[in-house]
Amino acid sequence: CGSWRGFILMAKWELKQVLDDSPSLAGDYLLEVIPEADEEAREKASEESTVFLENFPVECPYTIKQILDEDWLPG
């Protein structure tokens, strides 16, 4: 589905707004919430794509720098 790019860009924009409002969340907080958010994303992607959950990486394969980079999208 091509809409995943738009979804990712919107999520990055929303995350940037939160971090601009509360810069202290950019450190340890992100390290704490990324695994939980990634698990939810894996489950949602599995449901929407009919790809079995076990075919997605168990841990988030992206760095915080990549996640926050407005110009970066997964290949």
Side-chain angles (χ1 to χ4, degrees):
C1 175
S3 66
W4 67 270
R5 288 180 188 262
F7 180 80
I8 290 171
L9 292 172
M10 180 58 71
K12 285 180 178 235
W13 181 83
E14 290 174 358
L15 180 58
K16 182 182 182 316
Q17 297 303 310
V18 168
L19 295 177
D20 285 348
D21 290 342
S22 302
S24 63
L25 297 178
D28 292 337
Y29 177 74
L30 280 181
L31 293 174
E32 291 176 23
V33 298
I34 285 176
E36 182 179 328
D38 185 60
E39 177 64 26
E40 291 176 21
R42 289 174 63 233
E43 291 172 3
K44 184 174 177 111
S46 177
E47 289 173 15
E48 291 183 4
S49 67
T50 67
V51 174
F52 291 113
L53 186 60
E54 55 268 9
N55 291 318
F56 290 91
V58 174
E59 294 181 12
C60 181
Y62 311 114
T63 65
I64 290 176
K65 182 178 179 181
Q66 289 173 315
I67 292 168
L68 296 176
D69 184 345
E70 295 177 25
D71 296 322
W72 181 85
L73 286 173

